[in-house]
Amino acid sequence: MNNVSEISHFFLSGLNETRNYHLTLFFLTFLCYVIIILVNVCVILTIILNNELHEPMYIFLCAICMNSLYGTAGFYPKFLSDLLSPVHVISYSGCLLQAQVLYSFACSDLSILALMAYDRYLAICRPLEYHSVMSKQRVITLVCLAWSIPFCIMAVNTIITSRLKLCSPYINRIICLIWSIVMLACFPSETTVNSVVAYITILIYVLHFLLIVWSYMFLIKTCVGSLENRRKFMQTCVPHLISLCTFSLTLLFDVIYIRFGSKDLPQTIKNFICIEFLIIPPIMNPLIYGFKLTKIRNKILSWPLEGRDEQQSRP
């Protein structure tokens, strides 16, 4: 390809103004990443090791926790190494890979949240059809599609971006994002295809969000006149709504900033807006579901008791 960029590395300048407290940031970031790993792995193992939790709602929850581990792995190790390094450099291919991972993580999260909303709609609004529609095999297929389709969609965006000729290796961020790379293009006319594909991608995931809204319109309508359905809604839908609102708001702030961000904001605030979708949802999701869903909470709390009983039963 004749127009492939000759740039071999990118310089990330987002951390230049935080040199005086890199060690503090390193400690807080490392602590945050450890918490993310612990809470997500805890929920994943709880669901996998207990057969009574092998139901659609819990399988989707397991999938969203796995997706959190995938997405954060694309950010935290590199960011932690940057905090200990005087120069923040990433290879061209590494930058594209990070962008691919972060974007596919975000899109997969929204796809799984849409599946969870549809699952709750079936469980509460059409309970007689629920088990025939949401069979275990179909649920696993839907989860695989929720991972693979976003990955392929974002791969198209990444491949198109990789064909641009770039005139600068400097990215004024702490992570690599596709739009940040596109903005470095030498010829803006060459980015038309990128913009079209980006807006098609946004449209696809706006439709995901509309599916969630549609599901909750029927859920609320059904639950208003039934005490039992209201109880189900509070038990299983409220955690999903909190998770959805948290994810949507963090992603919305990030998209608005990427497209229309103000240059007057302090760099620290810019950095937080840029990575908040990698901090808040990965921690909030397992904590919200772990505390709110009775079966998961009881299983997690019973682990220490089971271990103590095993020790006492030994001769």
Side-chain angles (χ1 to χ4, degrees), residues 219-239:
L219 277 166
I220 294 171
K221 182 180 178 181
T222 303
C223 293
V224 166
S226 170
L227 182 61
E228 182 182 354
N229 284 338
R230 285 203 299 271
R231 183 183 61 79
K232 289 181 180 178
F233 184 91
M234 293 301 295
Q235 178 67 26
T236 62
C237 295
V238 169

Side-chain angles (χ1 to χ4, degrees), residues 101-114:
V101 170
L102 298 185
Y103 275 92
S104 59
F105 150 71
C107 293
S108 292
D109 245 24
L110 189 54
S111 295
I112 297 170
L113 287 170

Side-chain angles (χ1 to χ4, degrees), residues 7-24:
I7 293 175
S8 60
H9 290 82
F10 288 106
F11 297 90
L12 304 175
S13 59
L15 284 175
N16 288 350
E17 295 181 11
T18 61
R19 290 176 179 172
N20 294 332
Y21 45 95
H22 272 193
L23 290 179
T24 303

Side-chain angles (χ1 to χ4, degrees), residues 75-313:
F75 165 69
Y76 283 94
K78 176 66 174 74
F79 184 63
L80 287 169
S81 67
D82 282 345
L83 288 172
L84 297 178
S85 173
V87 181
H88 312 130
V89 180
I90 186 170
S91 67
Y92 180 84
S93 58
C95 190
L96 290 176
L97 177 61
Q98 185 180 64
Q100 169 71 21
V101 170
L102 298 185
Y103 275 92
S104 59
F105 150 71
C107 293
S108 292
D109 245 24
L110 189 54
S111 295
I112 297 170
L113 287 170
L115 289 175
M116 294 174 83
Y118 183 64
D119 172 75
R120 292 300 85 205
Y121 159 74
L122 288 174
I124 296 176
C125 301
R126 298 165 60 183
L128 297 178
E129 303 173 33
Y130 180 73
H131 291 291
S132 60
V133 175
M134 283 294 181
S135 63
K136 188 178 292 186
Q137 183 176 1
R138 182 168 295 171
V139 168
I140 293 173
T141 300
L142 289 172
V143 168
C144 291
L145 290 174
W147 279 328
S148 58
I149 292 177
F151 188 87
C152 292
I153 290 174
M154 296 319 306
V156 172
N157 284 268
T158 304
I159 291 170
I160 293 173
T161 302
S162 70
R163 296 174 61 87
L164 295 174
K165 184 175 179 60
L166 307 180
C167 286
S168 173
Y170 296 97
I171 297 177
N172 188 29
R173 294 186 184 277
I174 57 177
I175 58 175
C176 289
L177 298 174
I178 289 177
W179 194 249
S180 300
I181 301 172
V182 171
M183 295 295 289
L184 302 177
C186 297
F187 308 105
S189 59
E190 291 183 351
T191 66
T192 303
V193 176
N194 296 78
S195 297
V196 171
V197 174
Y199 283 119
I200 291 173
T201 303
I202 292 171
L203 176 61
I204 291 171
Y205 289 97
V206 167
L207 293 176
H208 280 57
F209 187 80
L210 292 178
L211 172 63
I212 296 172
V213 173
W214 174 83
S215 298
Y216 271 96
M217 286 174 58
F218 282 94
L219 277 166
I220 294 171
K221 182 180 178 181
T222 303
C223 293
V224 166
S226 170
L227 182 61
E228 182 182 354
N229 284 338
R230 285 203 299 271
R231 183 183 61 79
K232 289 181 180 178
F233 184 91
M234 293 301 295
Q235 178 67 26
T236 62
C237 295
V238 169
H240 178 265
L241 277 175
I242 296 173
S243 177
L244 174 66
C245 291
T246 301
F247 175 77
S248 300
L249 288 175
T250 54
L251 203 61
L252 180 63
F253 285 141
D254 189 52
V255 170
I256 291 174
Y257 172 66
I258 290 173
R259 294 284 177 162
F260 314 106
S262 171
K263 296 181 179 179
D264 299 328
L265 287 175
Q267 188 63 47
T268 303
I269 296 177
K270 291 180 183 179
N271 291 343
F272 180 74
I273 292 174
C274 189
I275 63 172
E276 60 182 337
F277 75 104
L278 292 161
I279 299 173
I280 300 174
I283 293 178
M284 290 285 288
N285 287 340
L287 290 179
I288 290 169
Y289 283 102
F291 282 108
K292 187 65 178 173
L293 296 181
T294 306
K295 285 186 178 180
I296 291 182
R297 184 176 67 247
N298 291 342
K299 288 295 179 183
I300 292 175
L301 293 177
S302 68
W303 277 5
L305 296 176
E306 290 174 359
R308 187 181 64 184
D309 292 340
E310 286 180 5
Q311 288 181 351
Q312 291 177 352
S313 64

